[in-house]
Amino acid sequence: MDEKTKTIEQEETKKGISRRGFLGASAAGAAGVAGLGLTGVMTPAQFAQAADKARHDAKHNVGPGELDEYYGFWSGGHSGEVRILGLPSMRELMRIPVFNTESATGWGLTDESKRIKGDSADVLCGDAHHPHMSMTDGRYDGKYVFINDKLNTRVARIRCDVMKTDKMLTIPNVQAIHGLRVQKVPHTKYVFCNGEFRIPQPNDGRDLNDPTKYFTMFNVIDAEKMEMAFQVIVDGNLDNTDADYTGRFAAATCYNSEEGVTLAETMRNERDWLVVFDIHSIEKAIKAGKFQTIGDSKVPVVDGRKKANSAYTKYIPVPKSPHGCNTSPDGEYFVANGKLSPTVTIVSIKKLPDLFAGKIKERDAIVGEPELGLGPLHTAFDGRGNAYTTLFLDSQIVKWDVKKAIEAYNGKKVNYIKQKLDVHYQPGHNHTTMGETRDADGKYLVSLCKFSKDRFLPTGPLRAENDQLIDISGEEMKLVHDGPTFAEPHDCMIVHRSKVKPKKLWTRDDPIFAETVAQAKRDGVTLETDNKVIRDGNRVRVYMTSIAPNFGMTEFNVKQGDTVTVCITNLDQVEDVTHGFAMCQHGASMEIGPQATSSITFKADKPGVFWYYCHWFCHALHMEMRGRMIVEKA
Ligand code: CUK
Ligand code: CUA
């Protein structure tokens, strides 16, 4: 959009007649009439029913130009990215490249993104499962979203003011980070994440054929520094995790208590565990110097295995290969989802201090074990005492009453199941609006279905998955939207838009490009004004500005064999005007946001003329925003 259109829109907004507002109102009106189906003659009952449906549809309808009530952060599974959706429209608003490599923004290609990726700068793929936002006092604070990479054993952090990945960490001495959650109380000092696969320790070629010596660990990261805080050795394979609302405990589901290697071996036992970690007692031990280290790593490690009989962990037996681990928003319970058992297990968090003090036995901490259906994977909550569990095999969401399930466990004859709703098909995670915080508001539930089958136009052998939106504000769950998605949202979190405060422009001192700015300073370059080529042996740094529709430099010369860094500072101050830099035949492409500095490095290995151009549409003369790199023969 050019300046003039912008000004007109600002004027209209002031007068309250903006195009956006007008479109929104007319669209809602049209939807209302269509919903009423005003064709032919209706009986009063039909009319009432149609009116009811129209009211219901309108409630979830976000018209053109209208804004959503919630941000949803979706994991992108083995696509490696995170996506932002608006709810209830389920419109995809943005993609945040994290563990993948991305052409439009240059993520994984730019110098800044490589610095952030650190020791994994050369790793171009990932498997992102669990996005979770930082909290203060059990409430989203809008600062960060953390996410795991199962494939390359990493955890990344997204800064929510700019919606970009700003830190990445490879976790030492474990393989496949799976479950990830944040400490909720008093604030997110720690990120908890599970190492899933058991490996030799250290994994340097020893004990290859002796799986009895393998183990994995529970990992705790300092959220602000994005450095390892400590690790806890455990039995079995850790799956999912969650934290409590006191700040003392975290729990993780744990399968393969048999410590087998083959599928048959890992399924022998009728029960596996919910492992509970006493974070306070682990912190105390580490402070007192009671820890070990593994291999080259300096990270403090404590032994929380069963046979170590430590004060750090308790292993609560739960049926069989449990998967999801979810804390109820009232802070009362951890729920372990049975997967191979039709049950979920409710553990009372209030009883855990007694368990750790040795006053009760492990199974005494369990207060309920309702039978829900086949393949319970994950549970979400509405803040009104109801839980919603995905049934993978039944392709259903079951709504159940937590209190009644506990009464039933105590022998009372009550029906704790309130409703079963078909979803399409095979749901994994589900999530409620604000449901993993004290602010659980019980408005919407999202079911992330692994298969869409017949729900959308077929797209060849590979099809979309189906994210379904369910209205849970009333007594009954109502399916209101089908949303096709690409591989493979495992999980999401949904936060009210009031909690997130994104910036409109970059600030010049942003830490994401601080190192690039420091290099310019060392080169004697003022980024906001200079257009200069600095030669440093066969390394060449090209500094230029950009302001629509011009690059500060329309040509520069280098020699064949030079390593060239192009560093661009976008001087535009207009919201939403991003420039790009793309260098033909050199695999170099990046975004430069308004007021940002971005840089990218490549080798000029062929003599000739190479055009560079802006590939983010920025102006009527966007096509003309270009220049030449002239590479002289060596
Ligand atoms: S896991 Cu995928 S459906 Cu990685 Cu959270 Cu349960
Ligand atoms: Cu600058 Cu397009």
Side-chain angles (χ1 to χ4, degrees), residues 158-228:
I158 291 162
R159 246 175 61 198
C160 296
D161 60 340
V162 289
M163 300 296 182
K164 298 281 184 192
T165 307
D166 86 317
K167 294 275 181 194
M168 202 176 287
L169 174 68
T170 305
I171 314 294
N173 293 319
V174 288
Q175 216 165 81
I177 292 293
H178 189 226
L180 176 148
R181 293 277 182 150
V182 301
Q183 192 176 29
K184 300 177 202 268
V185 171
H187 67 102
T188 300
K189 179 180 177 195
Y190 295 133
V191 175
F192 302 119
C193 59
N194 290 338
E196 183 172 345
F197 300 142
R198 301 167 63 251
I199 51 170
Q201 297 289 349
N203 195 17
D204 57 2
R206 74 186 70 191
D207 303 330
L208 298 177
N209 294 311
D210 189 358
T212 61
K213 290 199 176 143
Y214 300 178
F215 61 75
T216 190
M217 295 188 278
F218 180 70
N219 307 283
V220 180
I221 300 168
D222 181 314
E224 205 51 57
K225 293 191 196 138
M226 277 297 277
E227 288 169 5
M228 290 301 301

Side-chain angles (χ1 to χ4, degrees), residues 223 396 507 570:
Q396 286 180 320
T507 16
N570 180 355

Side-chain angles (χ1 to χ4, degrees), residues 273-287:
W273 299 301
L274 182 76
V275 188
V276 182
F277 299 88
D278 184 341
I279 302 302
H280 290 173
S281 85
I282 300 167
E283 281 178 321
K284 224 158 85 196
I286 286 165
K287 232 185 184 164

Side-chain angles (χ1 to χ4, degrees), residues 439-488:
D439 296 324
D441 64 11
K443 279 203 185 169
Y444 291 104
L445 172 77
V446 164
S447 172
L448 303 177
C449 303
K450 303 290 186 191
F451 299 91
S452 64
K453 296 183 193 173
D454 52 1
R455 302 292 281 194
F456 308 115
L457 285 176
T459 52
L462 182 63
R463 304 222 182 142
E465 277 142 52
N466 189 6
D467 298 344
Q468 293 190 304
L469 184 73
I470 295 158
D471 175 8
I472 55 166
S473 60
E475 261 310 294
E476 234 182 273
M477 297 185 272
K478 282 188 182 147
L479 178 62
V480 295
H481 186 91
D482 270 19
T485 46
F486 184 58
E488 175 208 338

Side-chain angles (χ1 to χ4, degrees), residues 578-580 614-618 622 625:
T578 292
H579 293 294
C614 172
H615 64 348
W616 276 88
F617 206 104
C618 56
H622 155 78
M625 188 166 173

Side-chain angles (χ1 to χ4, degrees), residues 371-387:
E371 197 173 317
L372 300 176
L374 295 182
L377 287 190
H378 295 279
T379 295
F381 304 90
D382 63 7
R384 297 189 296 268
N386 300 307

